[in-house]
Amino acid sequence: MRRIGVLTSGGDAPGMNAAIRAIVRKAIYHGLEVLGFRRGFQGLMSGEYTLMRLGSVADIIHRGGTILLTARAPEFEKESGQQKALQVIANCGLDALLVIGGDGSFRGAAALEKLGVPTIGVPATIDNDIAFTDYTIGFNTAVNNVTDAINKVRDTATSHERVYVIEVMGRTSGYIALAAGLAGGAESILVPEIPFDLSAVVERLQRGVKRGKLHSIILVAEGAASAFSVAEIIKEKTKMDVRVTILGHVQRGGTPTAFDRILASRLGAEAVDLLRSGRHGRMLGFVDGKICSTPLEKALSAKRKFPADIYQLAAILAI
Ligand code: ATP
């Protein structure tokens, strides 16, 4: 193996840059050349890449987003798009490709592996919705961002004796809502994985008011419900002052936490080692404190089990 490619794909996640840095530096350390493709599979189809040098990844470990840029590239889901990418891969003399992204990106990686291109997936998405890894790169930073926002909203909520319904990201998963809700002491957490009953949420709010609570925070995962509809129902049933805060893209921005930088550095470096040992068609993961790898196909066909026990704990602690 002489030359490998790297790209970031899907939604940006803080820590992607630390993963790029680890891949480039570890590969160069072992005498490999690295080409960085821009805008995910879009750049792989159009042949937009740069040769990555040691200095190309200097001063990026602390930056959110991705220096390689990222994009959704629906054309790559079709055979015609994949054929374009294969042509570019052949023209560049690439021996393997490292894909940093979420499950959609891993489907792209698996498609290339099937077409004979050795690939490895490095899990990076704020949603933490990938099986066979306890954490994805970016999740920890997003949870810290949301927790920080809850702390700030809480000040206003208490001062004005309001209920705040805060909507957080996660697409179809509720991991950010659960982790930030537990860390931020939310009164109720609504996630798509667990059915909820708004009358129970209302009852809980009313119990809180009776025992002198000055504010309440309800965290809603975007895939569970619309924060505005939840707020409307609560307002109608309680006549309380209910406000909505949609956190939006601030959740995924900013400097990655030390946890995400370390995770990204370890996973990125291991991706290079895995390729060097001739193993590919796999995604890396971090399970029970150890770096491990799983065949992409197996990981893509599995659904991550939502930690109902932690959800239960958050409910008990917010009683
Ligand atoms: P995030 O979880 O942050 O949204 P993701 O990797 O899941 O990240 P997607 O938008 O689902 O993001 O996928 C990113 C890209 O991966 C797509 O734009 C497309 O180029 C490629 N991709 C997705 N699904 C497939 C597929 N079935 N076959 C080939 N390529 C795919």
Side-chain angles (χ1 to χ4, degrees):
M1 203 174 53
R2 204 176 59 83
R3 182 176 290 163
I4 63 174
V6 60
L7 58 81
T8 49
S9 165
D12 68 302
M16 278 181 159
N17 281 329
I20 297 168
R21 173 180 178 270
I23 288 167
V24 169
R25 296 240 163 121
K26 188 84 189 312
I28 292 176
Y29 174 81
H30 289 296
L32 301 174
E33 262 180 18
V34 186
L35 303 186
F37 288 83
R38 286 156 70 88
R39 300 186 186 85
F41 293 111
Q42 189 60 49
L44 193 67
M45 290 184 290
S46 60
E48 208 184 328
Y49 62 86
T50 43
L51 177 65
M52 306 296 283
R53 302 177 195 280
L54 289 175
S56 316
V57 290
D59 202 25
I60 65 167
I61 196 165
H62 60 299
R63 291 185 207 280
T66 159
I67 58 159
L68 287 177
L69 311 180
T70 185
R72 315 259 181 210
E75 192 191 347
F76 188 74
E77 292 172 35
K78 296 187 215 131
E79 204 194 322
S80 56
Q82 291 165 17
Q83 288 303 324
K84 278 188 197 169
L86 277 186
Q87 197 55 55
V88 170
I89 288 168
N91 292 347
C92 296
L94 276 195
D95 297 310
L97 181 73
L98 299 174
V99 174
I100 304 169
D103 61 337
S105 305
F106 288 179
R107 284 182 210 289
L112 282 177
E113 176 76 27
K114 250 191 197 152
L115 292 167
V117 181
T119 58
I120 300 279
V122 178
T125 164
I126 61 165
D127 304 340
N128 207 30
D129 58 350
I130 297 181
F132 298 104
T133 186
D134 292 344
Y135 301 107
T136 54
I137 296 164
F139 171 68
N140 185 268
T141 305
V143 168
N144 277 287
N145 285 344
V146 174
T147 306
D148 198 34
I150 294 174
N151 295 341
K152 288 173 178 155
V153 168
R154 203 184 255 275
D155 289 345
T156 299
T158 311
S159 306
H160 286 272
E161 299 172 67
R162 283 179 186 152
V163 175
Y164 269 84
V165 179
I166 303 179
E167 186 177 301
V168 300
M169 285 183 155
R171 299 225 279 179
T172 55
S173 97
Y175 283 91
I176 295 178
L178 175 61
L182 180 59
E187 274 64 34
S188 294
I189 304 171
L190 309 185
V191 295
E193 293 87 346
I194 298 190
F196 55 86
D197 174 7
L198 281 184
S199 39
V201 172
V202 166
E203 261 172 41
R204 183 186 284 263
L205 278 176
Q206 288 168 332
R207 266 206 315 273
V209 171
K210 269 198 198 135
R211 72 167 173 85
K213 260 192 173 179
L214 293 179
H215 70 263
S216 285
I217 304 282
I218 297 169
L219 217 54
V220 181
E222 64 182 343
S226 143
F228 284 106
S229 339
V230 170
E232 214 40 60
I233 294 168
I234 293 174
K235 205 184 288 183
E236 203 185 292
K237 293 199 172 169
T238 65
K239 309 293 175 224
M240 291 165 91
D241 187 1
V242 187
R243 303 293 170 103
V244 172
T245 299
I246 311 265
L247 293 182
H249 289 90
V250 294
Q251 291 165 80
R252 62 204 308 150
T255 187
T257 56
F259 181 92
D260 273 332
R261 297 183 203 188
I262 294 167
L263 180 67
S265 300
R266 293 183 68 188
L267 294 181
E270 183 64 23
V272 174
D273 279 346
L274 209 59
L275 275 183
R276 291 180 64 245
S277 69
R279 297 174 80 205
H280 47 82
R282 307 179 75 85
M283 65 153 256
L284 284 161
F286 183 70
V287 177
D288 294 337
K290 290 196 182 74
I291 304 288
C292 57
S293 74
T294 308
L296 278 169
E297 293 292 354
K298 182 175 170 190
L300 287 171
S301 60
K303 184 145 174 59
R304 207 175 159 179
K305 197 167 173 287
F306 196 74
D309 54 334
I310 298 179
Y311 186 83
Q312 194 56 35
L313 173 66
I316 291 170
L317 298 186
I319 201 163

